[in-house]
Amino acid sequence: MADMAANSEVEGAARSAAGRRDLAVRAAVAQGLVGGGDESEPLVCLLDVAGIRASAAALTGAFAAALAPGTPVLHAFAVKAAPLVPVLRLLADAGLGCEVASPGELALARAAGVPADRTVLDSPAKTPAELREALALGIAVNADNPQELARLDTLVGRAATPPAAPIGVRINPQTGAGAIDALSTATATSKFGIALRDPEARAWLLRAYADRPWLTRLHIHSGSQGVPLALIAEGVRDLHALAEEINAAAGRRQVDTLDIGGGLPVNFASDEPTPTFAQYVAALREAVPTLFDGSYGLVTEFGRALLAKHGLVLARVEYTKTSGSRPIALTHAGVQVATRTAYAPAAWPVRILPYDAKGAPKTGDPVAQDVAGPACFAGDLLATARELPRLAPGDLIGVPDTGAYFFTAHYGYNSLPRPAVHGFAVDRDGRVRFSLARPAQDVAAIVAEAGGDLRDALL
């Protein structure tokens, strides 16, 4: 009976995200991915493959349940959220495409095998070369501003026959800011898109579409971390209304696809995945019921909401000390893997999960202590006065919810190396299998990137 209860407990852990995470931490130590000793890695980053697949299924399922049968829909993952080829390949296998915003991101999407017709190019500063490449490949392009549209005129012309690549215009609905100003893309003065509520902007857009029959899409991205669902939905409502106005003026269905962007916020306070994609769809249905009636194809561009909850930074506590009577744990995870937290801790607080040297969750009376990173500036802190069991050298700290925009976007402060990233899968018996998704950067690579082969170039 005891064995049956133990097996049931293991199976239950393997099914839950938190359970898989704890099993992966213990296995990472046991398999030598991270831990104590002179030769062991002091820092590793983990991605939960089952969790990523579950998020992709939740996204595609939520829209499929709401859309009229046969409605074309492309869920394009925002590559900037996790620019790792194996991640893009995993998401492509789950039915997603890619949204790219640079030649580098496009190269990553292509390396992952994502087809051109499942790729969207967005950027406020596309070069002529980028535009030519996208048009030649048949990649969808969203123009950001009138000057870019004029540049496209020279590349596409004003022919009635549309180009192979779908082309649209990004608008800024100017619906307002969320809780984080730096991530609010729909403010009155946002750098993105055509400001819809500026004087004459709407009339300009109507003329732009009337003059260019090959403009068949409209694009918006009004959401991000800190933006409530109602505000995101308001922007999508304005996009839909503009499409209806353009099509009425054209006397035909010129705009056939609405790219509604992404930006679903993520809950960083607990393991609960909220808001959900189903809640997002419900908010859209309430604000724009006809969005789902099949009149328009849809494109989404989610990033953080798909990956954040499935990433874990795992770092060794190297030393502990006190300063001003406050305990401080010095770890190997800091600004290089959690840049936004170090520079804007109030906007980007993270949870700290304490583990002992064997990877078991650490217990004990909570003590207010700082958790610091290895970089040489005072703000390199993951947490301040955080109540945790008192950490000791050799312990590990886990930083969950870091699968997007954290360790995937390394910051090279102090020439700290990029850590290895491993995906992990847990079978029903609790066995953990790791797959390398990005190797750790060695010192030779750091020297090479810093011009090591050009030592005498400035003499």
Side-chain angles (χ1 to χ4, degrees), residues 66-338:
L67 283 166
T71 302
V73 59
L74 169 63
H75 298 291
F77 174 70
V79 172
K80 57 186 169 289
L84 299 172
V85 171
V87 168
L88 306 184
R89 182 66 172 169
L90 171 63
L91 291 170
D93 187 64
L96 275 61
C98 283
E99 183 264 340
V100 301
S102 72
E105 289 184 357
L106 176 56
L108 296 179
R110 297 188 72 186
V114 178
D117 63 1
R118 298 187 63 76
T119 305
V120 179
L121 174 62
D122 295 320
S123 164
K126 306 179 195 72
T127 66
E130 290 175 62
L131 291 171
R132 279 194 296 270
E133 181 181 25
L135 295 176
L137 292 173
I139 291 169
V141 174
N142 289 315
D144 178 82
N145 55 69
Q147 292 173 3
E148 184 180 345
L149 197 55
R151 183 171 283 174
L152 283 165
D153 283 339
T154 66
L155 297 174
V156 176
R158 297 176 181 269
T161 303
I167 302 175
V169 174
R170 178 171 181 169
I171 68 161
N172 168 18
Q174 297 174 293
T175 45
I180 304 174
D181 287 344
L183 296 189
S184 296
T185 58
T187 62
T189 58
S190 171
K191 73 175 188 178
F192 295 105
I194 306 297
L196 187 59
R197 301 184 189 187
D198 276 13
E200 303 302 319
R202 202 173 194 95
W204 182 88
L205 281 162
L206 289 170
R207 289 195 303 273
Y209 275 78
D211 291 345
R212 299 168 178 83
W214 41 267
L215 284 178
T216 59
R217 291 188 172 190
L218 273 171
H219 173 47
I220 194 175
H221 183 92
S222 59
S224 197
Q225 191 66 22
V227 180
L229 293 186
L231 200 59
I232 301 174
E234 183 181 344
V236 175
R237 183 190 64 199
D238 290 351
L239 184 79
H240 183 271
L242 178 61
E244 294 283 273
E245 193 172 347
I246 290 169
N247 287 346
R252 62 187 182 88
R253 190 169 170 264
Q254 178 175 343
V255 175
D256 60 20
T257 301
L258 300 180
D259 184 335
I260 62 174
L264 185 67
V266 167
N267 167 31
F268 286 94
S270 75
D271 285 326
E272 184 181 0
T274 182
T276 65
F277 291 113
Q279 289 168 334
Y280 173 76
V281 168
L284 291 180
R285 294 185 75 172
E286 182 176 351
V288 203
T290 52
L291 181 68
F292 296 92
D293 67 5
S295 299
Y296 296 96
L298 292 182
V299 177
T300 70
E301 300 175 355
F302 293 101
R304 181 181 294 107
L306 283 161
L307 261 291
K309 302 299 287 183
H310 311 304
L312 179 73
V313 172
L314 193 58
R316 186 173 72 219
V317 176
E318 196 67 38
Y319 301 109
T320 57
K321 60 193 291 186
T322 61
S323 184
S325 300
R326 178 180 291 169
I328 303 171
L330 296 166
T331 81
H332 292 272
V335 68
Q336 84 278 29
V337 291

Side-chain angles (χ1 to χ4, degrees), residues 325-413:
S325 300
R326 178 180 291 169
I328 303 171
L330 296 166
T331 81
H332 292 272
V335 68
Q336 84 278 29
V337 291
T339 311
R340 289 173 171 173
T341 297
Y343 285 117
W348 297 99
V350 292
R351 291 183 289 150
I352 303 295
L353 305 178
Y355 296 91
D356 65 22
K358 294 183 178 181
K362 186 164 187 172
T363 59
D365 294 334
V367 176
Q369 55 201 297
D370 292 355
V371 180
C376 290
F377 80 102
D380 188 29
L381 298 166
L382 295 179
T384 303
R386 188 67 58 86
E387 296 279 345
L388 299 166
R390 187 150 190 161
L391 295 168
D395 285 344
L396 300 167
I397 57 115
V399 190
D401 309 327
T402 48
Y405 297 108
F406 278 79
F407 62 78
T408 59
H410 181 81
Y411 177 45
Y413 198 99

